[in-house]
Structures are given as structure tokens and as C-alpha cells.
Amino acid sequence: MNDTPPAAGGSRHFLDLDLVDATELRRIIDRSGEIKAARAGRPKLMPDDDQPLANRMVALIFEKPSTRTRISFDVGIRQMGGATMVLSGSELQLGHGESVGDTARVLSRYVDAIMIRTFSPEVLAEMAEAATVPVINGLTDRTHPCQIMADVMTYEEKKGPIRGAHLVWSGDGNNVFASFAQGAAAFGYRLTFTGPETLDPDPQILAAARAQGAEIDIVRDAAEAVKGADCVITDTWLSMHDDATARDRRHNQLKPYQVTSGLMHEAGEDAIFMHCLPAHREEEVTSEVFDGPQSVVFDEAENRLHVQKGILRWCMGVL
Ligand code: CP
Ligand code: NVA
């Protein structure tokens, strides 16, 4: 595994899980747990004891909607003493023809880090290539690495070390699944995908993950796939980048992969249920599971805040 090439000043980009060394990912998770513990019981916006982002400005760029990513980055940066600027792609010249590279060069003269949620993974890559400050991937059509960092942290809080655990993804082989695949070798969990063949994960991502040592398999029958799983995961059946006119077709194909109490029963009572949110009740998951005792979905959402503080510190060289 290659370490992410450093941006100027020894700082680093956080673009995808397969680009960061496994020991660094582990260090971020462990440190994020300490960061979370140090704040236990404090009001939300009370500053952290150390202020690693004091006098620093972070640009948060969104070309797609967001609740968790937007707010957790904003709150986390303020807790660390930094300031934020939340921008939509359309209000930048980026949306009106200025190149991504030139935008990155200009932003690098003003701000200390950039977090971007965009459609195309090429835009993210171009931004990182030209920026001289750290760039963080806040989701593309292809991957969502910050989410999986929060999910690993959540898994370990609930069930102990994730190494050797069996995680089963039921549904669409989308961007969130792709980051689970990219993190499998580094964190050492076994990953099963269960879903219709038409919505299989990107074969290039699977091949690259397996080449790094990830153990990933595909099982078509959902009940068989989840047997004895430590964690069952799903996500929306229609992602932000998907064609909305395909909704009914996708729903028909994905219905056998809905996470129901029957499916969780196959996994066993010790299995936990994860969802990155936003969720669509009675579509990819029933309310009974979503609100039930095995669900850890709001802990995942909270841990976005803590783990992204760890990621930012790592990017800025102050982990
Ligand atoms: N899980 C997640 O990234 O949520 P948002 O789209 O609300 O940021
Ligand atoms: N797969 C979803 C994740 C949202 C956080 C999407 O891309 O819309």
C-alpha cells in the first residue's frame, strides 16, 4: 500500500482508504477514540483543550446535498479552534467554467485545507493534484472514505477489534460499499456483498482491493450471505448520482435484499446493523430494524464528527 503523496509542508490528502497506509488508518481511529473520550459530557461547541486548528480556515465545498458531512466537519473544525467556509459548487466559478486545477491553486492561497463533496472522482483527483493544502474526500460517485472511518470506529466501540470480523453488505454495490472494499485489507475485516448482479460493485475496485489482500466475496442469496455475520450494512437504493427514472426498476431488483428483522435473525442476535444515512424506511431497511436494538446508525452519525477531527489532524500533521 502506498502512502498518499504529501501536499506542501508535509501535510497530506485523505482521498481514499486504499491510498493511506494501514498503520496510519489505525492511528487515526485510535486517536479519534481519545479525542471523543476527552470531550465526553461537554456541550457541543465547547472548544477542545488543545486548539490544533487555531487561526486555520477550512473550505467545505458541496456539489451535492449533505446533512452529516456538512455539519460534522463544520462543528469539528470549530471545536478545534478553526474557522470554516461552506461553499456550494454552483456559487464558485468552478460551476461556470474555471478549471478544477485553477480553483485548487487559488483556494490554496487562502485556506489551510479543502474538503470537497463532488460527483466525479476525476474532479477530486484534479483538486488534489493542484492543491498545495490537504484535500479530503467528502464523497464522490465512486467512494466515501470518511464514512467507513466512522463505521470502523463505531464497530469497535460496540464489538471490539474489527480485524477478522465478518461484515455483510446487502443492497446496491455503490460508493459506500466501494470504500468498505478499499478499507478491507487495511482493517482486516472479511466483506461479503449480497445484491442483484445488475448492481454489483465496480469490478476494478474489487480487483484492486483483493490485490491488496482484501477478502471479499459475492453471495446472491441474502439469507445465506448474512449467516453468522457480525455486522449487516445497507444504504439507499437510489444514490444522489443515480438516474431517478430508474427508481422503480432498482426497487424491484433490490427488494429481496431489504434488511428486515427476518434477515437480522439469520445473522444472529449479536450482529449489529449499520447505515450511513440518510435512510429510507421500509425501502432498504424496515423501521423495525432501523429503530431496533441491533441498530447503531446514530452512533455512526456521531462518530463522523470525532473521526473527521482525527482525519483533519492527520492531514495537517498534528495527529
Ligand atoms: N452519511 C452521509 O455522508 O450523510 P450526508 O449525505 O448527510 O452528509
Ligand atoms: N450512496 C449514497 C450515500 C449518501 C451518504 C449517495 O451517494 O447518495
Side-chain angles (χ1 to χ4, degrees):
M1 252 170 288
N2 295 321
D3 215 347
T4 311
S11 56
R12 283 177 280 206
H13 300 318
F14 190 82
L15 302 179
D16 272 317
L17 298 183
D18 59 346
L19 297 175
V20 181
D21 189 80
T23 54
E24 295 298 291
L25 290 176
R26 172 47 55 193
R27 227 156 59 77
I28 296 171
I29 296 287
D30 292 347
R31 185 77 182 97
S32 300
E34 293 168 10
I35 293 166
K36 178 176 180 176
R39 287 193 63 82
R42 293 196 206 181
K44 291 267 182 285
L45 262 174
M46 189 167 171
D48 288 359
D49 291 333
D50 60 340
Q51 295 281 279
L53 298 192
N55 301 316
R56 306 287 193 124
M57 170 67 79
V58 183
L60 306 174
I61 304 174
F62 289 91
E63 295 199 287
K64 296 181 185 182
S66 168
T67 297
R68 279 141 290 268
T69 305
R70 180 185 162 136
I71 297 168
S72 57
F73 266 107
D74 200 345
V75 170
I77 291 161
R78 291 176 197 224
Q79 287 175 350
M80 293 193 287
T84 59
M85 195 178 276
V86 183
L87 304 158
S88 74
S90 59
E91 66 192 335
L92 298 176
Q93 295 292 6
L94 187 59
H96 305 279
E98 186 167 23
S99 79
V100 176
D102 288 348
T103 304
R105 288 180 193 97
V106 171
L107 286 178
S108 300
R109 303 289 180 106
Y110 301 141
V111 304
D112 300 286
I114 301 165
M115 192 291 312
I116 180 164
R117 167 170 287 194
T118 185
F119 291 91
S120 142
E122 285 75 32
V123 167
L124 175 75
E126 245 180 284
M127 183 74 77
E129 179 71 30
T132 54
V133 297
V135 174
I136 297 173
N137 177 359
L139 178 144
T140 69
D141 296 0
R142 186 166 178 265
T143 57
H144 193 9
C146 292
Q147 181 66 50
I148 278 50
M149 293 295 279
D151 293 351
V152 169
M153 184 175 171
T154 307
Y155 182 93
E156 296 198 332
E157 285 176 351
K158 303 291 174 193
K159 289 181 68 77
I162 201 166
R163 181 161 295 281
H166 185 203
L167 277 50
V168 180
W169 177 281
S170 186
D172 178 24
N174 66 13
N175 46 359
V176 179
F177 176 84
S179 283
F180 267 113
Q182 291 180 336
F187 287 115
Y189 49 77
R190 182 157 73 86
L191 185 61
T192 296
F193 171 82
T194 185
E197 201 172 343
T198 46
L199 298 172
D200 266 353
D202 178 343
Q204 283 183 336
I205 285 183
L206 289 183
R210 286 174 176 141
Q212 285 192 328
E215 211 185 318
I216 306 174
D217 61 351
I218 296 181
V219 176
R220 293 289 165 217
D221 182 73
E224 187 193 330
V226 300
K227 279 239 156 35
D230 296 298
C231 179
V232 177
I233 316 160
T234 193
D235 185 13
T236 179
W237 286 346
L238 193 78
S239 283
M240 291 181 273
H241 59 270
D242 286 323
D243 173 8
T245 63
R247 186 179 184 278
D248 290 349
R249 179 171 46 81
R250 293 172 69 94
H251 277 223
N252 289 335
Q253 290 170 338
L254 285 159
K255 185 73 181 164
Y257 300 94
Q258 183 187 53
V259 181
T260 60
S261 50
L263 197 66
M264 289 308 291
H265 182 75
E266 296 292 338
E269 64 182 23
D270 290 337
I272 55 174
F273 169 72
M274 283 193 178
H275 191 311
C276 64
L277 309 181
H280 307 81
R281 290 161 181 265
E282 317 311 337
E283 293 183 11
E284 70 269 12
V285 57
T286 60
S287 288
E288 200 179 352
V289 171
F290 190 80
D291 298 322
Q294 290 165 289
S295 174
V296 299
V297 298
F298 297 109
D299 298 292
E300 293 174 78
E302 177 184 339
N303 283 335
R304 291 292 301 278
L305 168 65
H306 307 297
V307 90
Q308 286 160 191
K309 289 164 76 176
I311 292 168
L312 271 156
R313 282 172 174 265
W314 178 81
C315 285
M316 315 285 274
V318 288
L319 187 64

